[in-house]
Amino acid sequence: MNVRRWIVLTIATILSVTAADIAIAFLVDPYGMWRDPAGRQLPVAVITNGRKAKFLLSKHYVPANFDSLIIGPSILASWNVPSLAGTRVYNLSIDGGNAVEEKLVLDQALQRGHYKIAVIVLAPINTSSREVKGGLDRTTPAEALASFHLYIQEAAYALRALHHGAGYIDIASNGQYTFHSRKSLHPEDVDPTHFQIDPIALSKFRDMIVNLKRQRTSIVYVVPPLYEPFYQLHRAEFDGYLKTMLPLLPQAPVINFQDAEYKSLRNDPDNFVDCEHMETRGSDKFSALLRSLAPAALASEK
Amino acid sequence: MNFNSFQFVLFLPIVMIAVAFARRLAVPKGPQIVILVASLVFYAYARPSYLPYLLGSILVNWQASRWIAGSAGVRRTRLLQLGLAFNIGLLCVFKYLNFFMGSIPYFAHHRFHAPTLAFPLGISFFTLTQIMYLIDCYEKLIPPSSFFDHITFVSFFPYVISGPIGRAKRILHQMPALNSGIGPSADMHARALYLFSIGLIKKVVLADAFSKAADYGFGNISHLSAIEAWAFATAYALQIYFDFSGYSDMAIASALCFGIEIPRNFDAPLRAKSIIEYWQRWHMSLTSFITTYIYTPLVKSFGPVTLLTSGIATFLAMTIAGLWHGANWTFVIFGAIHGLGLAVNQCWRKMKMPAIPKPLSWLFTLMVFDTAFIFFRAPDVQTASLYLTRFCDWHHVFGIENLHRMNGVGPGTGVMFVVFSLAQITGIGAAFFGKTSDQLAREFKPTLLSYAATSACMLFALFYLSSNVVKPFVYFAF
C-alpha cells in the first residue's frame, strides 16, 4: 500500500465508522434524544451507567411521557408506581444519589416538562454529601451519539431483538430499578457522616423543591421504610435527621413509612434486600401504600 | 484548547488546509502567517485574557535579544542578566509569589497577603523557551531572529502550553521549509497521523485508567498495605508517564503535520536502570534545559569541577527543577529526591563502586521515582509523609484488598471497570516491554496493520472522549 492510499483509507475508515455510529445511535436512540420520544417505552440496561442514562432520558423522554416524578436516591428506586392520582409517574431515583446529583437530573426534566406531582424521598444520603459521582455533571448530549454506556444500550436492544424477549433490562421504562445485589440484612453501624447535613447539598435540595413548586407541582415527602432492626439501632439518628430537616424545607405533606403502623411490614425480612433497599415483594407492598396514601395526603394539603 | 478534545481534532485539519491553501496561493510567508494566527487562537481559546501575558513576554524577550546582539562586553552580560531577571521575575510573580509569601511566616512572625494573580497557561514552558533563546543569543549560538520568526517560534501551538520545550536553533532553521512551496511529504503526514493516534490513546485511555487506580490509592492512604502503597505509587508514575508522553506524542505529531520536527520528550523512562538513565529518558527537553542552563553554570561557578561540587550542583539544579514544576514544598522535595539520587548515582559511577545486578537496579530506580512521585501527587508534605509510612508498614505488607477495589463497581462505573482493567494491563505492557512511540513512528510503514491500528486507536479514543470520563492533562497545572 502506498502512503497516500494509506492516509485516504485511514481517514475514510475513521469517518465512515463515526458516521455509522451516529446513524445507529439515531436509529436505536435508547435515550429518546434524537427522535420523537412520545409514546415510546425506553428501558435501560444499566450495567454501565444508569445515572447518565436517567440524565439523558430526562431531557426528552421523561417530559414527553410522564407527568409525575419520584425523586431521590436508590432507596425508592425499586418502587413500581406506574400511576399516581391519575398521572403517569417516572421514577427518577438514582443509584447512590445525593441532592446535588438529583438536581442535575431533575433540571433536565424541568427544561421541557411540566409535572403535577413530585414524590420526594427524605433520606440522609440526600444531604450528606455534595460529591458528584460518575461524571454526571459532565454528561453531554453527545454521549447519546457515542459513548460506552450508549453501546451497552444498543447491545441490549440487539439482544432483545434477537431473543424476542424483554430481558437485558435493569431500569424499566418508568424508571423503576431492579436490585440484583446479594441479600444482606445484618444491621450494621452507619458512618456518622451519613447524618451530616452538607450546606450545598441542602441548598440544592431546597432549590429542587422550590423549582418544582414554581411549576405548581404538588410535593409529597416520603420517609422511606428501613428494615426494623436496623432502624431501631439508629432510631435516634434517623428521627433526629427528620426533625432537623423538615423545618428547613418548603412545607408539604409527609408520608412517613417509619410510623408505628408500618412496623410489621418493616419487620418482615422478605421485604428487604438490605437494611435500606427493598425486594420486589416489599417494593410492591409499599408502592401500593404510596398509591393509596399520596392522593389523600395531597387532598389534605389543599 | 486541549489536544485530547474534539475541538482540536477539528482545529488541526482546518489549520492544515489553511496552510496548504496559503502555500498554493504563494503568499510570501503565508504558511507561517497561518500558523501564527492559529497558534494565537489556540492559546487564547481557553482564556483570551492570558494572551497579553504571552505577547508581552515575547515582545520583551525579542527586544532583549536584539539589544544583546548589538552590544559587547559587560553591557552584553548586564543585558542578559536583565533579560533573565525579567523571565524569572515573571515566573515568580505569577507562580511563586504566594508560595514565597506563604513560606515567610515560618521564618518571621508576620503574615503577608499576596494578591492572587491569574496563572497564564503555559507560562513555565514559554518562559523557559525564551530563557534558552536569550542565552543562545548571548553565546552567539544563534543570531537574533525577526519578530515574526520569534513570535511564531515561541507561540507555536503544538508546544506553547506544555512543551516539549523547543530550542530556537532546532526550530527556527525549519521556518524556511515551512514557507517553501513544497509542503511536508505524504509520508510525514501519515507518520503524524500514526503518532497522533498513539499519543491520543496513551493520554485518553491509558493515563486515565492509571489515574483511576492512583486516585483510589491516594484517597485511601491509611488503609493501604505496603505492597498496595508501592502499587498505587507506580500507578501514579504510569499515569503521569502516559499523560505527559501521550501529550508530547500529540504535540510532535501536530508539528509534523506542518513539516516541523520538535524534539522527542520520552524514551521509555520506566525501564531505566539508574536515576541518571531515567533523566535521560524522562521529559528529555527539560533535562536538556537543566543540564545546559542550570547545572553547567552552577558547577562552573563553584570553581574547579570535583565530585563534591558536581554533586552539589546536581542537587541544586534538580531542586530548582522541582520548584519549576509547582509552587509547593512537595515539588521542592520531589526535585531534591531526584537531585540526591542523581548525585549518589554519579558518585557511585565515578568511584567505580560494584555494579548492581540489572533487575535490582531497575527495581531500585523504580522505587526512587515512586517515592519522588508521592511528593509530586500529594497536596502537602504531611499527606506525602503519611503515604511514605505505608511503604514500610511491616504489620500490613501483603494485603491486596484495595487493589481489588480500585476500579470498583460503584455509581457510574460498571463496564468501565473492565475497560480500566484492560487498559491498565495494556499500559503496563507498553510502559515496561513494548516499543516506544518514537520507535513505532520511526519504523512506520503504510501497511494494513498500521492502518488498522491507527483507525482503531483513533476511533476508540474518540468514543472514549465522547464518554466524558477523560481527565484534564496533568501538566496544564504547571
Side-chain angles (χ1 to χ4, degrees):
Chain A
M1 192 182 322
N2 72 31
V3 179
R4 280 181 198 283
R5 188 170 293 174
W6 186 92
I7 294 173
V8 170
L9 197 62
T10 306
I11 292 172
T13 304
I14 294 167
L15 292 178
S16 51
V17 173
T18 306
D21 168 85
I22 292 170
I24 293 169
F26 186 83
L27 284 173
V28 179
D29 191 23
Y31 299 128
M33 291 281 293
W34 315 117
R35 294 188 285 124
D36 182 9
R40 294 178 70 195
Q41 301 256 314
L42 298 179
V44 177
V46 77
I47 58 166
T48 174
N49 198 325
R51 324 166 105 238
K52 286 200 171 205
K54 283 201 173 172
F55 182 99
L56 292 170
L57 285 164
S58 297
K59 284 189 172 286
H60 296 276
Y61 171 69
V62 174
N65 295 290
F66 301 92
D67 40 18
S68 288
L69 299 170
I70 294 175
I71 299 158
S74 57
I75 296 178
L76 249 67
S78 62
W79 290 28
N80 191 6
V81 187
S83 64
L84 206 56
T87 62
R88 294 157 299 161
V89 182
Y90 189 82
N91 192 332
L92 215 55
S93 308
I94 51 173
D95 200 10
N98 59 43
V100 181
E101 298 172 313
E102 286 156 16
K103 184 173 181 297
L104 275 170
V105 177
L106 178 67
D107 285 348
Q108 312 310 311
L110 288 179
Q111 277 176 17
R112 291 177 184 83
H114 181 90
Y115 305 94
K116 289 179 182 151
I117 302 168
V119 175
I120 297 187
V121 180
L122 283 179
I125 189 176
N126 271 328
T127 46
S128 63
S129 141
R130 67 181 75 170
E131 189 196 356
V132 179
K133 302 172 285 290
L136 196 65
D137 52 343
R138 286 180 283 132
T139 310
T140 64
E143 289 178 45
L145 285 176
S147 63
F148 291 106
H149 55 87
L150 171 77
Y151 303 141
I152 297 295
Q153 310 311 333
E154 290 175 351
Y157 270 71
L159 289 169
R160 279 201 290 271
L162 281 173
H163 295 160
H164 305 289
Y168 315 106
I169 293 171
D170 288 317
I171 295 178
S173 54
N174 68 345
Q176 184 233 353
Y177 185 109
T178 308
F179 283 98
H180 297 303
S181 46
R182 197 187 299 168
K183 199 166 177 107
S184 167
L185 288 173
H186 301 292
E188 288 169 350
D189 284 341
V190 179
D191 185 347
T193 59
H194 188 66
F195 297 97
Q196 281 175 6
I197 297 174
D198 179 277
I200 299 288
L202 175 65
S203 122
K204 297 284 180 185
F205 197 50
R206 281 180 56 87
D207 289 351
M208 207 161 59
I209 299 160
V210 168
N211 290 347
L212 283 161
K213 283 213 159 198
R214 202 172 285 146
Q215 272 207 353
R216 296 182 180 279
T217 306
S218 301
I219 307 290
V220 185
Y221 296 123
V222 167
V223 182
L226 300 166
Y227 182 48
E228 189 62 14
F230 174 75
Y231 172 60
Q232 289 304 334
L233 193 65
H234 303 287
R235 183 169 191 160
E237 291 101 317
F238 278 107
D239 290 356
Y241 173 80
L242 197 61
K243 208 171 168 185
T244 312
M245 277 297 288
L246 279 172
L248 300 174
L249 299 175
Q251 275 202 334
V254 180
I255 299 173
N256 189 345
F257 288 115
Q258 290 301 137
D259 281 349
E261 57 192 291
Y262 309 110
K263 191 173 176 179
S264 61
L265 283 172
R266 293 199 305 269
N267 231 339
D268 184 352
D270 290 343
N271 285 340
F272 289 87
V273 179
D274 57 37
C275 294
E276 295 183 270
H277 300 95
M278 311 211 88
E279 291 276 14
T280 310
R281 180 189 145 141
S283 297
D284 288 347
K285 286 177 192 165
F286 280 102
S287 303
L289 278 170
L290 179 64
R291 278 202 298 274
S292 67
L293 293 170
L298 289 167
S300 72
E301 193 198 20
K302 283 170 190 165
Chain B
M1 198 183 298
N2 212 330
F3 285 170
N4 53 295
S5 67
F6 288 109
Q7 291 93 321
F8 188 75
V9 172
L10 288 176
F11 172 83
L12 186 62
I14 290 170
V15 180
M16 284 169 70
I17 291 166
V19 166
F21 195 62
R23 198 170 273 133
R24 180 152 294 187
L25 287 179
V27 180
K29 297 211 169 185
Q32 195 176 335
I33 294 170
V34 174
I35 295 274
L36 175 60
V37 171
S39 296
L40 297 180
V41 169
F42 175 87
Y43 185 81
Y45 185 83
R47 197 179 288 184
S49 60
Y50 290 155
L51 195 58
Y53 298 112
L54 173 70
L55 295 177
S57 165
I58 288 172
L59 189 66
V60 171
N61 278 290
W62 173 75
Q63 188 55 57
S65 72
R66 310 288 294 183
W67 284 336
I68 288 169
S71 56
V74 180
R75 183 181 148 79
R76 188 179 170 85
T77 311
R78 289 277 175 270
L79 282 168
L80 172 71
Q81 286 168 345
L82 214 63
L84 295 181
F86 167 76
N87 284 300
I88 296 165
L90 202 67
L91 274 181
C92 286
V93 168
F94 287 106
K95 203 168 168 178
Y96 301 113
L97 191 61
N98 281 302
F99 170 66
F100 291 139
M101 291 298 198
S103 300
I104 287 171
Y106 290 105
F107 308 109
H109 295 289
H110 300 285
R111 185 165 287 277
F112 294 94
H113 293 286
T116 308
L117 297 169
F119 177 70
L121 207 58
I123 189 169
S124 307
F125 289 91
F126 68 70
T127 305
L128 287 200
T129 302
Q130 298 193 95
I131 286 175
M132 293 199 293
Y133 175 72
L134 284 187
I135 295 174
D136 286 354
C137 283
Y138 174 81
E139 301 275 1
K140 296 183 179 170
L141 295 173
I142 47 164
S145 47
S146 69
F147 183 69
F148 182 45
D149 279 352
H150 183 68
I151 189 173
T152 315
F153 152 64
V154 178
S155 67
F156 189 38
F157 71 86
Y159 57 63
V160 65
I161 290 174
S162 294
I165 303 161
R167 203 165 169 184
K169 67 176 182 181
R170 282 199 66 171
I171 309 290
L172 283 171
H173 77 90
Q174 298 182 63
M175 292 297 174
L178 171 72
N179 289 315
S180 73
I182 310 151
S185 63
D187 182 63
M188 233 175 198
H189 278 138
R191 196 172 306 146
L193 181 58
Y194 183 62
L195 186 59
F196 192 89
S197 72
I198 295 171
L200 191 60
I201 205 99
K202 273 162 89 173
K203 165 64 196 109
V204 169
V205 181
L206 303 184
D208 275 34
F210 287 108
S211 135
K212 175 94 178 156
D215 286 351
Y216 182 90
F218 278 84
N220 294 278
I221 297 174
S222 49
H223 301 112
L224 301 181
S225 69
I227 213 151
E228 285 172 339
W230 285 107
F232 287 121
T234 308
Y236 183 63
L238 284 160
Q239 177 199 341
I240 294 282
Y241 167 64
F242 283 119
D243 191 272
F244 199 13
S245 74
Y247 192 91
S248 297
D249 290 344
M250 287 188 274
I252 294 166
S254 305
L256 212 53
C257 291
F258 306 100
I260 293 191
E261 292 189 43
I262 55 178
R264 68 181 171 141
N265 225 8
F266 290 89
D267 181 20
L270 278 87
R271 288 176 223 171
K273 293 178 190 72
S274 69
I275 300 293
I276 291 176
E277 192 190 342
Y278 168 77
W279 277 98
Q280 287 163 345
R281 290 162 169 261
W282 177 275
H283 204 169
M284 290 148 81
S285 60
L286 179 68
T287 308
S288 162
F289 174 84
I290 297 168
T291 312
T292 316
Y293 300 93
I294 305 180
Y295 168 79
T296 308
L298 264 177
V299 82
K300 277 183 184 169
S301 72
F302 292 156
V305 181
T306 63
L307 203 55
L308 182 68
T309 56
S310 166
I312 293 171
T314 305
F315 180 78
L316 287 175
M318 290 309 292
T319 308
I320 293 168
L323 184 62
W324 171 82
H325 280 89
N328 194 328
W329 284 108
T330 52
F331 292 112
V332 176
I333 297 171
F334 163 79
I337 291 172
H338 278 288
L340 193 66
L342 280 168
V344 170
N345 203 169
Q346 280 172 352
C347 281
W348 196 278
R349 282 189 184 179
K350 296 271 187 217
M351 293 169 79
K352 298 202 164 59
M353 304 281 270
I356 301 171
K358 281 182 179 174
L360 209 63
S361 64
W362 169 78
L363 190 68
F364 190 66
T365 307
L366 186 71
M367 287 166 81
V368 172
F369 63 71
D370 273 0
T371 307
F373 269 130
I374 295 306
F375 286 90
F376 200 89
R377 169 67 167 74
D380 49 54
V381 177
Q382 287 81 358
T383 310
S385 309
L386 176 68
Y387 199 105
L388 291 185
T389 61
R390 310 312 302 165
F391 274 167
C392 38
D393 182 357
W394 307 119
H395 303 293
H396 189 201
V397 177
F398 293 110
I400 51 166
E401 196 183 330
N402 289 298
L403 288 172
H404 283 148
R405 285 195 202 149
M406 68 184 184
N407 297 332
V409 184
T413 58
V415 156
M416 294 317 288
F417 170 83
V418 180
V419 175
F420 285 135
S421 305
L422 288 175
Q424 285 155 358
I425 293 165
T426 312
I428 289 168
F432 293 108
F433 307 105
K435 285 184 179 178
T436 64
S437 31
D438 181 61
Q439 272 176 308
L440 288 168
R442 267 189 286 115
E443 292 168 10
F444 168 78
K445 283 192 176 63
T447 59
L448 269 179
L449 185 68
S450 62
Y451 146 74
T454 307
S455 308
C457 282
M458 285 296 286
L459 285 165
F460 192 77
L462 290 176
F463 294 152
Y464 204 97
L465 266 179
S466 184
S467 299
N468 266 320
V469 286
V470 177
K471 295 198 161 187
F473 175 57
V474 175
Y475 263 68
F476 271 177
F478 310 136

